[in-house]
């Protein structure tokens, strides 16, 4: 039995809620609030756009940029003029009620209603999980057509107050399009670079790192809007530009914070926007004119379909992967209108546009139609037409190697052919980026880190966290592959796994020690303030210990366990402990750890001087923490050039992300210990993941 | 670009390579070979942009690999003529709209075979751990300060992942010899190579000059 949420997309339900709320308010006798344009443009829209821009999948976007631009610019222009012109004709023929609406007013109306709305597209497309190409085409179009909309809107609005419109005005209008769009992008890029540069110096004040991202992006948006440039394009450009550098500089926790805050804000904004749309419908003054509204709706659809058909025919001449008719249908059907159109209509001045109410009514009707009818039917249509859905592929290290290899290969072939194509310029840009830009904008050693290594570390990190969250090795299902380093490289020394046989009371002693330490640390945690986050001696000690633990990795166990570990198994009390477990602040490694057995296993390398270890090493192992990291590090980490500075809770610092040690500690702790209060409950469930 | 008639010398190639493109390639060939009839490895040194490419060696090697030249023998050729040059280029032609399933599959396999030969440097039909390590090292060769350890670990991890995809569960005594071509195909299933591995020949006029 399909539930309501399977049939009706969330946006529709929210609008209905808004209608009910508005009706309720009106029924009580109060005046329901209307979605004011400045609230919408200043507060509700930016989070959604920033979220979209910051997490924009850059590769498919740039690969299809030409197509997206053509749809956004030419498509919107076509829609606006076609619709405007036809509505003018309708008005002329429509009888006395409509005759007075001039051409300019109609063109303005056309430009307002013709823009595909990013909020509505996001809301609907996120639920249908369509393949990446179509998603990025429609979504990219909805983002980039903002420039066109802004230009046309301001242009026609101004022209409406002119007595005469000369050719010069039209030419200037045409030029202003370039100024608006490129200017918006430029503003965004500048702020993005400033943000990236700022993040380079935030290693001592990790707590406010997310703030910079949000502030600079919002400043970009406001600055652009101030000069009537395209704010949306500025925001997207800022997000795209700052992201690679900021992510390389900030700590892992800040990254998570940014991600969750953006998702939270954009969810809240989206919800509010749709609810307000419903309320405004009930609240507003409406002027219903059958001819106008019905013909608007009709011509909107026709314009969209024709536009997509003609443009695709044109675009397919230049594309390698052609757009099939199925794709075209989805693109045309996905042209949803939304709150931006409503807000723009609301901004219209009564003095110049007396028919504003009629316009608003027509706009609302079109919005309702596209969101309800098209939004609800697109999912069954996608299934019916068997459109390719999004493939949930896990990004693997193999894929990354192959993709990079292919990129270099194609660049090489292009150079051999003497053809300066797509790959050549991309390669040049990458080299420029690596040589100059990264040095400026990324702090410390990370600036020289090649992409493959960075990717590998990121993957390791992600999988280590998943592993820790799933409660350690005990939770891994048996379906996991048991491929180990032995299987692929049989010449390695036979591993001497030494599991020390502990006597019962020694075990008990160890447990008691760990328990007491954990309790003590917990108390200390409760009284922390944000300044102690900065200089935590335990963190430094922990980092040092982890560095030592580097030698003792159990390479193959880690790899094969978390290469296929399922995501997010959250069910046991060990969860909350695991979360503490992953927090380096929670451990106090120094005391009494002589009794802690260290299981050190030689990683797969025959030449390692530190070969298999035993209990004899342990006193050295933990008690006297060596002041400097080991010189010859084995394993998956780069040489640690800078010892972790105080306050680095940066798990990116090579050497600190030692999940096997975490696991080992956890294993001991997962025995019944004192019941910790469930400090941390369910983790955040990120939206749409 | 699209299916059009082909010149006689391109009987090997699909109709997707037009005569203009062949002319362009021929001009380029003459530039590289300095008006000789054949090209040797040294001729590739004259391309300045190729120096920055980390896998330069493998690319040049691929041009002379007899397996790619559709010759039955094995090993490396010393020099190649224009026909061989075109043969190699044909691996990079773009996909056509009117291909059926079987053609598409063959198309894809051809391209993947070319890639496989690039990875498998000793021509034994398998990509061993050492060869894979070699590939990753070359990819990272643009960063001189990097330790060999990192490249090795990445290669090891990738190899293990490949083994687990291709063979699944393995006991502690089984040894995974190397990635065979079938395994290689499995690994590339997620990536649509037909659309990615092509070079566009839109600008027939921009010929880079070697100096």
């Amino acid at each position: 039995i399909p539930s309501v949420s399977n049939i009706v997309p969330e946006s529709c339900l929210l609008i209905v809620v808004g209608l009910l709320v508005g009706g309720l308010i009106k029924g009580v006798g109060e005046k329901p609030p209307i979605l004011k344009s400045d609230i919408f443009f200043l507060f509700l829209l930016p989070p959604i756009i920033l979220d979209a821009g910051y997490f924009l999948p850059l590769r498919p976007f740039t690969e299809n940029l030409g197509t997206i631009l053509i749809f956004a610019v030419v498509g919107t222009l076509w829609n606006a003029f076609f619709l405007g012109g036809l509505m003018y004709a309708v008005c002329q023929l429509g009888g006395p009620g409509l005759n007075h609406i001039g051409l300019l007013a109609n063109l303005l109306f056309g430009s307002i209603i013709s823009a595909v709305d990013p909020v509505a597209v996001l809301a609907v497309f996120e639920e249908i999980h369509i393949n990446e190409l179509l998603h990025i085409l429609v979504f990219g179009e909805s983002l980039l057509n903002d420039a066109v909309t802004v230009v046309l809107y301001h242009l026609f609005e101004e022209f409406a107050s002119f007595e005469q419109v000369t050719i010069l005005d039209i030419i200037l209008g045409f030029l202003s399009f370039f100024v608006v769009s490129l200017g918006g992008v430029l503003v965004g890029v500048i702020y993005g670079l400033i943000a990236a540069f700022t993040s380079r110096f935030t290693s001592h004040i990790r707590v406010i790192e997310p703030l910079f991202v949000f502030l600079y992006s919002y400043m970009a948006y406001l600055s652009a809007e101030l000069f009537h440039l395209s704010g949306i394009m500025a925001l997207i450009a800022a997000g795209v530009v700052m992201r690679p550098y900021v992510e390389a500089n900030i700590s892992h926790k800040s990254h998570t914070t940014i991600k969750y805050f953006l998702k939270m804000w954009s969810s809240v904004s989206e919800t509010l926007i749709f609810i307000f749309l419903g309320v405004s419908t009930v609240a507003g003054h409406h002027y219903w004119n059958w001819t106008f509204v019905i013909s608007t709706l009709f011509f909107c659809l026709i314009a969209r379909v024709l536009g997509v058909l003609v443009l695709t025919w044109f675009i397919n001449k230049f594309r390698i992967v052609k757009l099939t008719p199925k794709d075209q249908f989805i693109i045309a059907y996905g042209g949803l209108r939304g709150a931006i159109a409503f807000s723009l209509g609301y901004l219209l001045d009564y003095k110049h546009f007396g028919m504003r109410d009629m316009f608003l009514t027509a706009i609302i009707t079109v919005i309702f139609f596209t969101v309800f009818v098209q939004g609800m039917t697109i999912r069954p249509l996608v299934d019916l037409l068997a459109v390719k859905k999004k493939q949930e592929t896990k990004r693997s290290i193999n894929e990354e190697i192959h993709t990079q290899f292919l990129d270099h290969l194609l660049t090489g072939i292009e150079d051999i052919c003497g053809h300066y194509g797509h790959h050549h310029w991309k390669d040049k840009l990458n080299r420029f980026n690596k040589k100059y830009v990264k040095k400026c904008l990324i702090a410390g050693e990370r600036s020289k880190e090649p992409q493959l290594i960075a990717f590998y570390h990121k993957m390791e990190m992600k999988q280590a966290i998943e592993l820790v969250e799933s409660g350690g090795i005990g939770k891994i299902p048996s379906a996991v592959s048991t491929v180990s380093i032995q299987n692929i490289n049989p010449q390695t020394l036979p591993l001497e796994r030494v599991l020390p046989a502990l006597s019962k009371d020694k075990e008990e002693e160890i447990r008691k020690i760990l328990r007491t330490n954990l309790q003590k640390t917990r108390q200390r945690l409760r009284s922390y303030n944000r300044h102690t986050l900065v200089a935590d001696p335990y963190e430094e000690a922990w980092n040092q210990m982890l560095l030592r633990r580097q030698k003792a990795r159990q390479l193959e166990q880690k790899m094969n366990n978390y290469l296929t570990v399922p995501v997010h198994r959250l069910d046991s009390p060990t969860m909350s402990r695991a979360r503490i477990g992953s927090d380096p602040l929670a451990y106090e490694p120094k005391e009494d750890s002589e009794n802690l057995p260290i299981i050190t296993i030689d990683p797969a390398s025959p030449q390692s001087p530190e070969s298999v270890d035993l209990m004899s090493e342990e006193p050295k192992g933990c008690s006297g923490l060596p002041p400097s990291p080991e010189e010859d590090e084995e394993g998956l980490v780069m040489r640690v050039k800078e010892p972790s500075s105080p306050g680095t809770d940066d798990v990116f610092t090579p050497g600190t992300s030692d999940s096997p040690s975490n696991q080992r500690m956890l294993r001991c702790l997962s025995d019944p210990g004192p019941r910790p209060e469930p400090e941390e409950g369910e983790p955040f469930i990120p939206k749409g993941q | 670009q699209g299916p059009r008639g082909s010149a006689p010398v391109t009987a090997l190639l699909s109709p997707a390579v037009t005569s203009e493109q062949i002319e362009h390639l021929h001009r380029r060939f003459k530039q590289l070979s300095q008006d000789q009839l054949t090209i040797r490895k040294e001729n590739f040194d004259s391309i300045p942009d190729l120096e920055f490419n980390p896998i330069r060696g493998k690319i040049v090697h691929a041009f002379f690999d007899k397996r790619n030249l559709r010759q039955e023998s094995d090993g490396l050729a010393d020099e190649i003529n224009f026909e061989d040059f075109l043969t190699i280029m044909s691996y990079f032609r773009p996909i056509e709209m009117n291909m059926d399933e079987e053609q598409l599959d063959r198309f894809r396999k051809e391209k993947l075979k070319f890639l496989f030969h690039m990875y498998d440097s000793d021509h034994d039909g398998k990509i061993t751990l050492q060869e894979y390590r070699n590939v990753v090292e070359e990819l990272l060769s643009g960063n001189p300060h990097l330790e060999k350890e990192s490249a090795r670990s990445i290669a090891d991890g990738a190899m293990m992942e490949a083994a687990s995809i291709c063979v699944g569960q393995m006991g502690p005594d089984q040894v995974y010899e190397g990635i065979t071509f079938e395994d290689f195909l499995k690994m590339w299933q997620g990536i649509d190579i037909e659309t990615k591995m092509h070079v566009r020949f839109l600008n027939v006029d921009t010929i880079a000059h070697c100096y």
Side-chain angles (χ1 to χ4, degrees):
Chain A
I1 304 171
S3 65
V4 178
S5 63
N6 281 345
I7 309 179
V8 184
E10 196 180 298
S11 38
C12 304
L13 284 174
L14 288 170
I15 295 186
V16 169
V17 167
L19 287 173
L20 289 173
V21 167
L24 201 65
I25 298 182
K26 210 169 193 180
V28 178
E30 293 287 325
K31 195 166 167 327
I34 297 196
L35 181 63
K36 291 214 186 41
S37 296
D38 50 354
I39 297 188
F40 175 75
F41 280 116
L42 287 180
F43 302 119
L44 289 180
L45 190 61
I48 302 181
I49 305 295
L50 179 61
D51 181 34
Y54 196 76
F55 294 110
L56 195 68
L58 203 55
R59 222 186 150 107
F61 185 74
T62 45
E63 280 175 10
N64 294 298
L65 193 59
T67 314
I68 294 178
L69 276 177
I70 291 189
F71 273 125
V73 177
V74 181
T76 313
L77 281 174
W78 155 259
N79 275 352
F81 283 103
F82 183 74
L83 193 67
L86 277 182
M87 289 314 295
Y88 180 60
V90 164
C91 283
Q92 296 299 90
L93 304 169
L98 301 174
N99 266 344
H100 61 283
I101 307 177
L103 176 63
L104 271 176
N106 275 308
L107 283 176
L108 179 58
F109 177 70
S111 68
I112 295 177
I113 197 84
S114 62
V116 177
D117 188 82
V119 180
V121 164
L122 256 183
V124 168
F125 270 54
E126 259 199 0
E127 300 186 1
I128 61 179
H129 298 299
I130 207 164
N131 69 55
E132 202 178 48
L133 173 67
L134 285 178
H135 185 258
I136 199 70
L137 281 181
V138 181
F139 185 59
E141 178 195 344
S142 69
L143 287 176
L144 294 185
N145 67 18
D146 180 62
V148 181
T149 312
V150 164
V151 168
L152 284 180
Y153 181 81
H154 286 296
L155 215 57
F156 289 136
E157 214 192 7
E158 276 196 33
F159 284 179
S161 52
F162 287 0
E163 295 301 320
Q164 273 277 28
V165 179
T166 65
I167 296 288
L168 186 62
D169 294 326
I170 297 184
I171 294 185
L172 282 179
F174 180 69
L175 286 179
S176 74
F177 166 70
F178 290 103
V179 172
V180 164
S181 52
L182 294 176
V185 170
L186 189 66
V187 168
V189 166
I190 292 179
Y191 274 103
L193 290 175
I194 298 181
F197 190 63
T198 314
S199 72
R200 185 180 162 181
F201 302 106
T202 54
S203 48
H204 300 288
I205 33 167
R206 296 273 180 204
V207 199
I208 62 174
E209 271 169 346
L211 195 62
F212 288 120
V213 172
F214 302 139
L215 274 186
Y216 279 115
S217 315
Y218 195 50
M219 286 266 289
Y221 179 75
L222 288 181
S223 312
E225 285 287 329
L226 196 63
F227 296 108
H228 278 197
L229 303 174
S230 166
I232 290 186
M233 293 186 83
L235 207 48
I236 303 280
V240 162
V241 164
M242 78 166 77
R243 185 177 178 200
Y245 308 110
V246 162
E247 289 207 339
N249 281 331
I250 61 178
S251 74
H252 184 67
K253 289 191 178 153
S254 301
H255 173 76
T256 312
T257 309
I258 292 179
K259 183 162 115 170
Y260 283 121
F261 259 91
L262 281 179
K263 297 283 176 210
M264 177 189 82
W265 269 329
S266 63
S267 293
V268 169
S269 283
E270 203 180 289
T271 311
L272 280 179
I273 288 177
F274 283 115
I275 291 185
F276 262 114
L277 259 183
V279 173
S280 306
T281 311
V282 174
H285 302 125
H286 292 298
Y287 182 81
W288 181 273
N289 182 313
W290 277 102
T291 337
F292 193 78
V293 174
I294 300 296
S295 45
T296 307
L297 193 56
F298 187 61
F299 289 134
C300 257
L301 296 173
I302 303 261
R304 176 80 183 157
V305 171
L306 276 182
V308 169
L309 280 177
V310 171
L311 286 176
T312 321
W313 173 82
F314 178 67
I315 289 172
N316 269 344
K317 290 191 195 295
F318 299 99
R319 277 181 69 91
I320 299 290
V321 183
K322 317 264 184 223
L323 294 174
T324 65
K326 258 195 255 178
D327 296 335
Q328 293 172 36
F329 176 73
I330 297 291
I331 296 177
Y333 210 66
L336 309 173
R337 314 306 201 262
I340 291 187
F342 177 79
S343 306
L344 285 176
Y346 194 76
L347 271 177
L348 287 176
D349 198 354
Y350 252 124
K351 287 199 301 272
H352 292 134
F353 302 97
M355 70 302 289
R356 175 178 172 264
D357 287 334
M358 191 168 68
F359 282 177
L360 275 179
T361 313
I363 293 174
I364 288 189
T365 316
V366 174
I367 295 179
F368 271 43
F369 182 84
T370 55
V371 171
F372 277 92
V373 175
Q374 286 178 231
M376 272 202 272
T377 54
I378 200 168
R379 198 193 304 215
L381 275 174
V382 160
D383 291 332
L384 195 70
L385 293 175
V387 180
K388 260 204 303 186
K389 292 263 181 112
K390 181 155 77 162
Q391 292 172 313
E392 291 298 339
T393 45
K394 215 167 154 181
R395 237 7 213 148
S396 70
I397 187 69
N398 267 311
E399 254 188 59
E400 182 72 16
I401 294 179
H402 292 321
T403 319
Q404 281 214 3
F405 191 84
L406 199 57
D407 274 341
H408 286 302
L409 171 65
L410 290 173
T411 313
I413 296 286
E414 279 191 359
D415 290 331
I416 292 177
C417 291
H419 164 69
Y420 285 147
H422 190 58
H423 286 97
H424 179 91
W425 294 115
K426 205 157 76 146
D427 191 58
K428 269 217 157 98
L429 185 67
N430 277 338
R431 268 189 280 134
F432 172 72
N433 187 17
K434 192 162 118 172
K435 204 157 157 205
Y436 299 113
V437 184
K438 272 193 180 170
K439 289 226 177 76
C440 284
L441 298 179
I442 299 185
E445 278 308 305
R446 301 287 313 273
S447 61
K448 297 204 208 93
E449 198 176 55
Q451 197 196 348
L452 196 58
I453 304 262
F455 178 80
Y456 190 62
H457 277 244
K458 226 199 291 198
M459 254 193 38
E460 267 199 288
M461 176 80 50
K462 202 161 61 139
Q463 287 161 347
I465 291 180
E466 279 174 13
L467 185 63
V468 167
E469 282 197 345
S470 69
I473 300 171
K475 293 264 173 210
I476 307 294
S478 56
V480 163
S481 158
T482 53
V483 175
S484 67
I485 193 77
Q486 283 283 57
N487 293 120
I488 61 175
N489 195 357
Q491 299 100 324
T492 54
L493 286 178
L495 304 175
E496 284 174 38
R497 277 175 228 236
V498 182
L499 284 170
L502 293 174
S503 60
K504 271 288 169 189
D505 33 72
K506 202 148 199 200
E507 241 185 65
E508 194 41 52
E509 219 185 309
I510 293 170
R511 285 208 194 112
K512 194 170 65 141
I513 292 164
L514 291 170
R515 234 177 277 149
T516 46
N517 285 341
L518 189 60
Q519 271 183 317
K520 271 201 249 170
T521 324
R522 193 180 297 284
Q523 286 161 13
R524 211 182 335 260
L525 266 182
R526 262 189 238 125
S527 61
Y528 93 101
N529 61 35
R530 67 176 179 279
H531 297 294
T532 56
L533 261 185
V534 174
D536 195 321
Y538 294 106
E539 177 150 338
E540 171 138 355
W542 173 248
N543 289 340
Q544 301 274 12
M545 195 193 78
L546 284 180
L547 280 169
R548 285 232 66 225
R549 286 290 173 94
Q550 278 313 309
K551 290 188 316 181
R553 318 199 81 158
Q554 194 174 355
L555 181 61
E556 91 262 45
Q557 192 178 15
K558 183 177 81 156
M559 288 305 284
N560 79 48
N561 273 335
Y562 62 58
L563 277 176
T564 46
V565 80
V567 180
H568 285 308
R569 308 181 111 238
L570 336 142
D571 40 17
S572 70
T574 40
M575 275 314 117
S576 36
R577 266 170 289 190
R579 209 139 301 111
I580 316 265
S582 65
D583 185 338
L585 285 177
Y587 283 98
E588 207 179 282
K590 292 192 297 198
E591 318 169 13
D592 293 312
S593 31
E594 289 105 273
N595 297 323
L596 232 193
I598 302 176
I599 306 168
T600 56
I601 293 178
D602 185 10
S605 159
Q607 314 102 316
S608 112
E610 255 91 31
S611 57
V612 188
D613 137 72
L614 300 182
M615 305 269 272
S616 56
E617 208 186 337
E618 67 188 86
K620 282 193 304 196
C622 270
S623 50
L625 298 163
S628 66
E630 296 295 325
E631 276 319 293
D632 45 343
E633 302 256 331
E634 298 285 0
L636 292 118
V637 293
M638 291 163 30
R639 195 184 295 267
V640 178
K641 295 260 167 68
E642 40 191 63
S644 5
S645 48
T648 334
D649 64 347
D650 181 7
V651 200
F652 269 144
T653 308
T656 55
S657 63
D658 194 356
S659 55
S661 328
N662 279 349
Q663 288 170 27
R664 239 168 280 137
M665 295 287 254
L666 271 178
R667 231 177 305 144
C668 300
L669 289 176
S670 61
D671 287 314
R675 238 39 193 74
E677 320 110 49
E679 267 185 40
E680 302 183 40
E682 284 298 302
F684 302 109
I685 314 286
K687 177 182 172 188
Q689 277 187 12
Chain B
Q1 67 203 59
R4 272 171 245 180
S6 52
V9 75
T10 59
L12 311 152
L13 309 171
S14 87
V17 184
T18 70
S19 37
E20 307 157 358
Q21 292 166 353
I22 295 175
E23 248 190 64
H24 167 65
L25 286 172
H26 189 71
R27 262 178 285 156
R28 181 65 176 167
F29 184 82
K30 287 211 335 221
Q31 252 184 347
L32 286 176
S33 69
Q34 283 143 4
D35 286 328
Q36 304 285 323
L37 283 173
T38 57
I39 291 189
R40 301 172 155 277
K41 276 204 182 158
E42 298 75 48
N43 295 106
F44 282 100
D45 292 338
S46 53
I47 306 175
D49 288 313
L50 209 54
E51 299 222 359
F52 295 114
N53 204 314
I55 55 170
R56 181 180 180 283
K58 283 207 175 346
I59 297 179
V60 175
H61 186 101
F63 271 82
F64 294 90
D65 191 337
K66 282 204 183 141
R67 295 174 295 177
N68 292 336
L69 298 172
R70 300 176 205 253
Q71 293 169 14
E72 287 316 314
S73 54
D74 214 7
L76 285 182
D78 286 326
E79 47 186 24
I80 54 174
N81 58 21
F82 182 58
E83 204 173 309
D84 299 324
F85 187 69
L86 277 185
T87 315
I88 303 285
M89 282 299 157
S90 72
Y91 285 104
F92 295 94
R93 64 188 189 278
I95 193 174
E96 295 153 47
M97 278 282 264
N98 48 7
M99 279 184 166
D100 59 17
E101 276 298 320
E102 201 205 300
Q103 277 182 315
L104 215 58
D105 195 49
R106 224 174 357 116
F107 191 66
R108 193 185 150 84
K109 280 218 174 90
E110 253 179 41
K111 298 197 182 231
L112 285 175
K113 197 99 190 172
F114 184 81
L115 274 180
F116 187 75
H117 290 157
M118 285 186 82
Y119 281 80
D120 178 23
S121 37
D122 63 2
H123 303 216
D124 63 354
K126 291 200 284 277
I127 305 177
T128 60
L129 182 66
Q130 197 47 48
E131 286 169 346
Y132 212 35
R133 278 185 186 162
N134 189 277
V135 168
V136 177
E137 268 168 27
E138 277 202 7
L139 272 181
L140 294 174
S141 60
N143 310 275
H145 65 285
L146 219 52
E147 287 180 19
K148 279 191 79 177
E149 238 357 270
S150 335
R152 268 179 45 179
S153 331
I154 294 183
D156 291 349
M159 195 72 176
M160 283 193 273
E161 201 186 84
S164 60
I165 294 178
C166 306
V167 183
Q169 300 277 5
M170 285 181 83
D173 301 324
Q174 291 174 279
V175 178
Y176 185 62
E177 293 290 340
I179 306 179
T180 61
F181 186 56
E182 284 70 38
D183 298 338
F184 196 66
L185 285 177
K186 259 192 247 181
M187 284 200 323
W188 279 84
Q189 250 172 9
I191 314 175
D192 50 346
I193 186 114
E194 314 82 63
T195 52
K196 288 214 167 121
M197 184 164 154
H198 65 267
V199 178
R200 273 190 228 225
F201 289 95
L202 284 179
N203 308 2
V204 210
D205 307 316
T206 52
I207 303 183
H209 296 285
C210 323
Y211 41 83

